[in-house]
Amino acid sequence: MLQNEKRKQADGARLLALAAAGLLMLQGVAQAGPELDGKGLYLGASFGSAKGKSKVYLGDSDPSVALAVGYRFNPHLSAELFARNLNFNIIPGLFEREDYVYPDSHVGTALRLSAPLNESFQVYGRLGLGRTSMKATRVGMQAKSLTEASVGAGLGYDFNATWGLQLEYNRFLKNDINVLSLGVQLRF
């Protein structure tokens, strides 16, 4: 069992490393887009791993995908709307004796504060609030949703004024879910 967990962790680390390498190769392909003044709309997408204390995770992590649309007021402050799935378990609770609800997805808003490290790298923190959808494991059980805060931190790399890469950690506070993800951002 311990070897199985170590293998899954190693597979997850390899997947993130491959995604990072592929996105870094985009740097050579990315054209030097228009110079932006640090303001404007952006779209983001990320792929990562979610792990929590719910029975649905059973000690493992699940893939997590997010999409975001945001607005940068300046290079240091932005606000966004985002949606993130929190697991890909197709039939949770099938072999469990007890019924339970589990976190399935989250839709929310976030403020993001960035501090530059140099021309290309920046660190950032984020504070969010949204609704987490809680699915039921049995027919007839009541699914629910709850309002939940999230906090996060990340490291960003800008290929140019238009494209960026981000490595990010998020924590959803009520459900004790940790998400580590790698994503891209396209600025307009």
Side-chain angles (χ1 to χ4, degrees):
M1 179 98 166
L2 186 58
Q3 283 182 327
N4 191 21
E5 287 181 30
K6 286 182 181 179
R7 185 176 42 117
K8 285 183 181 180
Q9 287 175 350
D11 289 344
R14 277 189 221 115
L15 181 62
L16 279 176
L18 283 172
L23 291 171
L24 284 174
M25 288 190 313
L26 285 176
Q27 180 178 9
V29 177
Q31 297 177 0
E35 285 298 317
L36 301 176
D37 61 1
K39 295 180 185 179
L41 188 68
Y42 66 86
L43 298 175
S46 67
F47 178 77
S49 159
K51 185 171 183 173
K53 292 186 176 180
S54 170
K55 288 183 178 187
V56 76
Y57 296 105
L58 300 174
D60 292 332
S61 59
D62 269 3
S64 178
V65 176
L67 297 174
V69 60
Y71 185 81
R72 288 173 38 147
F73 300 102
N74 60 52
H76 308 291
L77 176 66
S78 59
E80 70 181 33
L81 299 172
F82 68 97
R84 174 173 293 285
N85 79 306
L86 297 171
N87 76 67
F88 273 104
N89 199 340
I90 296 171
I91 309 175
L94 181 64
F95 299 108
E96 293 287 323
R97 291 186 177 170
E98 59 186 84
D99 300 339
Y100 60 93
V101 294
Y102 66 94
D104 183 59
S105 60
H106 182 88
V107 176
T109 62
L111 282 178
R112 182 173 140 158
L113 293 170
S114 300
L117 297 175
N118 63 28
E119 288 182 11
S120 297
F121 285 96
Q122 70 270 353
V123 294
Y124 61 89
R126 58 184 287 134
L127 179 62
L129 185 66
R131 296 289 285 176
T132 301
S133 166
M134 307 288 288
K135 298 284 183 163
T137 57
R138 298 281 188 255
V139 174
M141 280 184 68
Q142 188 72 19
K144 61 182 181 176
S145 62
L146 56 92
T147 301
E148 180 169 29
S150 61
V151 295
L155 176 65
Y157 176 77
D158 292 334
F159 297 116
N160 55 42
T162 307
W163 288 97
L165 177 70
Q166 296 155 1
L167 179 62
E168 186 171 286
Y169 166 80
N170 280 290
R171 180 164 178 87
F172 295 87
L173 300 176
K174 279 189 181 176
N175 278 303
D176 275 341
I177 298 172
N178 300 300
V179 178
L180 181 62
S181 62
L182 183 65
V184 292
Q185 191 178 80
L186 173 63
R187 299 177 204 102
F188 302 98

